[in-house]
């Protein structure tokens, strides 16, 4: 892994930051694409200090093909290759389906699903030319099992799983692998918004009995990004304490 170059979208904080940390520990250079440009730069600078890897944070909106194209060109110019892409940026705008506003449906689908398609398209094209690369998409268990109050989010994550399998089939002959990690309930800013009651209800559904940590997701991503998973493509690993079996 040493000397490889990884882009992590939405890597300024939360699960994305943990993924950046796990890859940096393996010697991977880290490029963070996030709308939070200052936080992205701060995270990459701290990884540079801690692990001696090259780290860069760029202001990128994953929903803009122009923004992603410009950032990819910058990475190739500065780093020479782009070996790992983690499509992690994602949002929630929860609400019951019959009351959901169109703008909340559109915002979630645009970032969580269209954003993954744009990243896969632009970076995938580079990887196909290189004849190597690995892409890991961050889905969610609710894309598999559904969740009341998350019609937009669960639909977007189910879409990410379909997109993962299709891109894996299209890219396999050129040595580019595409997999997904589907986290369950992980302790981040996204789940901090939950009420105590919601959290207790959720914990009761988890056979291992507790929320996961960002590092649990990051370790699965690092495995899929590495050669240890060289014969694995088009798969979804559920990191959810057994919620989905
Ligand atoms: P988070 O703490 O909110 O981090 C997401 C990051 O993505 C934020 O820095 C966010 O910036 C950034 N982002 C949002 N829109 C973006 C855009 N258009 N372009 C670039 N970056 C953008 O979320 P998290 O909990 O770490 O979640 C990371 C991923 O895991 C998401 O795909 C999420 O759906 C998935 N996931 C999380 C859980 C969980 O329990 N936490 C469970 C299953 C799946 P802003 O803060 O400015 O929006």
């Amino acid at each position: 892994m040493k000397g490889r170059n990884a882009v992590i979208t939405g890597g300024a904080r939360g699960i994305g930051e943990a993924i950046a940390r796990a890859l940096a520990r393996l010697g991977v250079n880290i490029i963070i694409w996030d709308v939070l440009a200052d936080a992205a730069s701060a995270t990459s600078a701290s990884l540079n200090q801690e692990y001696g890897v090259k780290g860069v944070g760029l202001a990128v909106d994953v929903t803009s093909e122009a923004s992603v194209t410009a950032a990819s060109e910058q990475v190739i110019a500065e780093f020479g290759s782009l070996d790992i892409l983690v499509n992690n940026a994602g949002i929630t705008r929860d609400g019951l389906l019959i009351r959901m506003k169109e703008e909340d449906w559109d915002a979630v689908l645009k970032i969580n699903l269209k954003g993954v398609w744009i990243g896969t398209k632009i970076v995938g094209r580079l990887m196909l030319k290189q004849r190597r690369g690995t892409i890991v998409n961050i889905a969610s268990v609710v894309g598999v099992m559904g969740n009341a109050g998350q019609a937009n989010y669960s639909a977007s994550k189910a879409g990410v799983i379909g997109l993962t399998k299709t891109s894996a089939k299209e890219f396999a002959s050129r040595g580019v692998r595409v997999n997904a990690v589907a986290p369950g309930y992980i302790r981040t800013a996204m789940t901090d918004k939950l009420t105590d009651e919601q959290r207790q209800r959720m914990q009761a559904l988890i056979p291992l009995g507790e929320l996961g940590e960002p590092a649990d997701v990051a370790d699965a991503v690092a495995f899929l990004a590495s050669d240890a998973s060289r014969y694995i493509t088009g798969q979804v690993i559920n990191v959810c304490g057994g919620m989905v079996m």
Side-chain angles (χ1 to χ4, degrees), residues 8 18 25 39 83 85 90 103 114 161 165 200 225 229 235 244:
I8 298 114
R25 203 177 295 127
D83 310 297
L85 169 67
E103 68 215 48
K114 188 178 177 189
I161 291 172
K165 294 179 181 181
Q200 275 164 13
S229 61
Q235 305 302 311
V244 170

Side-chain angles (χ1 to χ4, degrees), residues 9-17 33-36 60-63 87-92 111-112 138-142 153 157 181-191 217:
T9 73
R13 62 173 201 185
I15 291 174
E17 185 186 352
W33 290 353
D34 202 295
V35 282
L36 303 170
V60 178
D61 177 356
V62 296
T63 67
N87 283 307
N88 162 80
I91 61 162
T92 51
I111 293 176
N112 295 11
I138 306 302
S140 166
V141 289
V142 305
Y153 185 76
K157 295 300 188 178
V181 170
Y185 292 108
I186 308 297
R187 228 182 298 272
T188 65
M190 199 177 256
T191 44
V217 179

Side-chain angles (χ1 to χ4, degrees), residues 2-204:
K2 209 164 182 176
R4 291 189 189 169
N5 306 313
V7 163
I8 298 114
T9 73
R13 62 173 201 185
I15 291 174
E17 185 186 352
I19 293 168
R21 195 160 289 283
L23 292 175
R25 203 177 295 127
L26 298 172
V28 175
N29 297 319
I30 301 297
I31 303 112
I32 294 178
W33 290 353
D34 202 295
V35 282
L36 303 170
D38 291 346
S41 299
T43 302
S44 10
S46 89
L47 295 176
N48 170 267
Q49 276 200 328
E50 261 180 79
Y51 302 106
V53 297
K54 228 171 132 186
V56 175
L58 302 176
V60 178
D61 177 356
V62 296
T63 67
S64 156
E65 209 165 326
S67 173
V68 172
T69 302
S72 306
E73 284 166 2
Q74 194 174 335
V75 172
I76 295 298
E78 273 182 44
F79 290 78
S81 68
L82 208 168
D83 310 297
I84 297 162
L85 169 67
V86 184
N87 283 307
N88 162 80
I91 61 162
T92 51
R93 294 278 187 278
D94 296 350
L96 289 175
L97 189 151
I98 57 169
R99 291 199 204 118
M100 188 170 283
K101 295 195 192 91
E102 189 176 354
E103 68 215 48
D104 290 336
W105 172 269
D106 288 346
V108 169
L109 268 290
K110 195 170 175 191
I111 293 176
N112 295 11
L113 182 54
K114 188 178 177 189
V116 175
W117 168 69
I118 290 175
T120 304
K121 178 181 170 182
I122 305 299
V123 175
R125 199 181 279 151
L126 296 172
M127 289 178 170
L128 294 177
K129 263 198 230 154
Q130 293 171 174
R131 294 281 200 275
R132 91 191 129 79
T134 169
I135 299 176
V136 184
N137 296 326
I138 306 302
S140 166
V141 289
V142 305
V144 178
M145 55 193 267
N147 196 23
Q150 291 196 309
N152 48 2
Y153 185 76
S154 59
S156 73
K157 295 300 188 178
V160 166
I161 291 172
L163 179 58
T164 299
K165 294 179 181 181
T166 295
S167 31
K169 286 188 174 175
E170 290 193 10
F171 293 177
S173 64
R174 307 277 180 92
V176 177
R177 298 184 298 109
V178 189
N179 291 288
V181 170
Y185 292 108
I186 308 297
R187 228 182 298 272
T188 65
M190 199 177 256
T191 44
D192 284 347
K193 288 188 237 157
L194 299 169
T195 63
D196 282 347
E197 194 209 326
Q198 281 173 317
R199 199 184 310 272
Q200 275 164 13
R201 239 186 308 130
M202 202 178 288
Q203 253 168 261

